[in-house]
Amino acid sequence: MTIIVTGGAGFIGSNFIFYQLKHHPEDRIVCLDNLTYAGNLSTLASVMDRPNFRFVKADICDREAVNRLFDEEKPEIIVNFAAESHVDRSIEDPGVFLRTNILGTQVLMDACRKYGIGRYHQVSTDEVYGDLPLDRPDLFFTEETPIHTSSPYSASKASADLLVLAYHRTFGLPVTISRCSNNYGPYHFPEKLIPLMIANCLNDKPLPVYGKGENVRDWLYVEDHCKAIDLIIRKGRVGEVYNIGGHNEMKNIDIVKLICKALDKPESLITYVTDRKGHDMRYAIDPTKIHNELGWLPETKFADGIKKTIQWYLDNRDWWEEIISGEYQNYYEKMYANR
Ligand code: NAD
Ligand code: DAU
């Protein structure tokens, strides 16, 4: 069968493509990505020549290009990773988030309707639930937790989720949605917390921690996320939302200190900077539904995953140095220079 993976030149999408090609070599994977600042073709270099893989540079908002691709490939499944994904950028410039994350989703689903596609899967996020208080460790996000967004990014992802559910109910489109917690692992773009701290440590640069560093995220190794999506698209129930997370809550400051220690760098590099506007306090997923229905459990413990991740950034300096030496420098200046 043929699966179209949108946003496959980004962090999670590329890891998902590697997962599919490894575990389902009988399937054909077509990656559709318009290579924004976050998309990197070199990430896909190792699979580019595979006979069952094709890369197509196109925008998910480009209806004509999307329809043409569906016409050519006659896919059975669409997995939509394509998105503007960075909260800080959404605070600077919300417009492109609304365009890609909402209208792009609509274009893909319209094509699914037109070509009678078997499954549309929307890769969503736990950020659609808003945040939880630090003093209520007993609370977790379930699939029934009301949508309550904080940033333009999360509002755009929540809007897309509502649209996906509306296409299911109104048009009978066979959809599934997954809402995952924070991922980490290889090919994570260096604007995000973990790779940014690794890169800055290796360059002996200050480590900018927002606010007091007390915010909590629920970290999951990217391959475990890919495995969960693979189960959902093959065995998940149509019309359902599945939360994905591994009960691995950590404070930002503890992650940064752990990275300093692993790279033998002094904690004096840590610099507390002005907090993110509207900064969500705590995310924590209850993954009971996906565990009970699909038997999913995370396989990589954080202690092992972070070790593997740090080693990957040590072994693949070319990949991230190339990124941070380009346009990224302007972004970094703008976001951090006077913070
Ligand atoms: P990313 O920013 O690393 O990659 C996004 C990819 O989408 C890039 O390759 C980019 O070129 C592509 N893209 C952007 N706009 C496009 C457009 N208009 N047309 C075609 N391609 C486009 O993002 P990521 O961290 O890999 O996240 C992937 C998905 O998973 C997103 O939908 C995000 O909301 C969701 N998610 C991410 C996390 C996380 O921790 N990173 C957790 C939960 C959910
Ligand atoms: O929860 C899932 C979400 O996780 C995804 O939907 C998003 O696409 C993804 O980017 C991620 O969002 P976060 O905002 O949680 O991730 P980020 O890496 O940007 O920040 C993690 C935490 O670290 C957050 O509390 C802000 C803080 N932070 C981040 C950066 C970049 C810092 O303290 N300093 C920084 O320089």
Side-chain angles (χ1 to χ4, degrees):
M1 90 178 154
T2 295
I3 304 177
I4 291 185
V5 177
T6 69
F11 166 44
I12 310 176
S14 60
N15 278 285
F16 181 75
I17 288 171
F18 303 147
Y19 186 93
Q20 288 300 312
L21 290 172
K22 181 172 169 194
H23 295 274
H24 303 284
E26 69 286 2
D27 290 338
R28 175 173 168 76
I29 302 293
V30 178
C31 171
L32 184 158
D33 195 303
N34 71 340
L35 301 178
T36 67
Y37 79 92
N40 204 327
L41 213 44
S42 74
T43 300
L44 295 172
S46 65
V47 299
M48 237 18 168
D49 292 336
R50 295 268 185 103
N52 59 339
F53 177 74
R54 178 184 174 197
F55 177 82
V56 177
K57 184 174 185 308
D59 188 331
I60 57 165
C61 301
D62 181 344
R63 201 171 281 276
E64 215 177 290
V66 167
N67 284 345
R68 199 179 322 123
L69 186 63
F70 277 52
D71 207 23
E72 284 169 16
E73 291 290 347
K74 316 245 171 326
E76 273 83 6
I77 298 178
I78 312 300
V79 185
N80 180 25
F81 290 92
E84 289 294 332
S85 68
H86 193 35
V87 173
D88 292 327
R89 288 184 191 255
S90 83
I91 296 167
E92 291 297 303
D93 181 14
V96 66
F97 283 74
L98 274 54
R99 179 182 178 274
T100 294
N101 299 1
I102 306 172
L103 297 179
T105 298
Q106 183 209 359
V107 169
L108 291 172
M109 289 196 297
D110 283 344
C112 287
R113 285 185 66 206
K114 181 169 174 178
Y115 293 93
I117 304 306
R119 176 70 66 89
Y120 174 82
H121 181 75
Q122 177 73 358
V123 180
S124 185
T125 167
D126 60 356
E127 294 199 19
V128 302
Y129 299 122
D131 63 352
L132 297 164
L134 286 184
D135 61 357
R136 288 294 306 274
D138 55 314
L139 296 181
F140 297 92
F141 297 138
T142 73
E143 290 78 1
E144 274 70 51
T145 301
I147 300 284
H148 187 76
T149 56
S150 309
S151 69
Y153 162 70
S154 56
S156 70
K157 293 294 290 184
S159 304
D161 283 14
L162 295 178
L163 202 58
V164 172
L165 294 173
Y167 268 55
H168 172 61
R169 175 150 176 172
T170 306
F171 304 121
L173 192 71
V175 306
T176 38
I177 296 177
S178 52
R179 295 181 179 148
C180 190
S181 59
N182 286 62
N183 286 213
Y184 69 101
Y187 300 106
H188 203 178
F189 196 82
E191 68 189 347
K192 307 283 169 59
L193 179 77
I194 288 182
L196 185 147
M197 296 300 166
I198 296 173
N200 282 16
C201 262
L202 291 172
N203 288 329
D204 297 306
K205 284 180 64 176
L207 308 175
V209 172
Y210 298 168
K212 294 186 182 141
E214 303 266 294
N215 305 65
V216 168
R217 297 293 183 263
D218 185 358
W219 294 95
L220 183 71
Y221 193 62
V222 63
E223 201 178 2
D224 281 323
H225 185 188
C226 295
K227 187 180 176 197
I229 295 175
D230 182 50
L231 282 170
I232 295 169
I233 60 175
R234 290 166 197 273
K235 297 186 182 144
R237 284 185 297 136
V238 162
E240 293 293 316
V241 174
Y242 293 91
N243 282 356
I244 308 170
H247 283 304
N248 181 52
E249 292 178 52
M250 292 188 71
K251 281 186 191 170
N252 293 340
I253 189 64
D254 294 336
I255 300 251
V256 178
K257 286 183 178 169
L258 186 154
I259 291 171
C260 287
K261 191 160 181 224
L263 290 171
D264 201 18
K265 298 288 178 177
E267 288 184 9
S268 56
L269 283 175
I270 295 172
T271 313
Y272 292 93
V273 300
T274 308
D275 209 351
R276 174 184 280 174
K277 289 188 181 106
H279 198 173
D280 280 337
M281 216 53 228
R282 168 177 169 247
Y283 301 146
I285 282 277
D286 175 353
T288 306
K289 180 174 174 179
I290 189 167
H291 175 61
N292 287 349
E293 281 194 23
L294 304 177
W296 178 86
L297 274 178
E299 284 169 18
T300 302
K301 288 198 184 75
F302 187 76
D304 301 330
I306 194 72
K307 230 188 255 170
K308 272 202 277 188
T309 303
I310 292 173
Q311 194 57 48
W312 188 89
Y313 281 85
L314 284 165
D315 295 342
N316 292 275
R317 277 189 96 119
D318 289 355
W319 183 85
W320 58 267
E321 276 180 347
E322 163 102 29
I323 291 171
I324 66 173
S325 65
E327 175 57 28
Y328 181 77
Q329 294 226 328
N330 298 334
Y331 165 80
Y332 200 87
E333 246 333 87
K334 187 170 160 207
M335 300 302 275
Y336 294 97
N338 300 310
R339 195 157 184 154

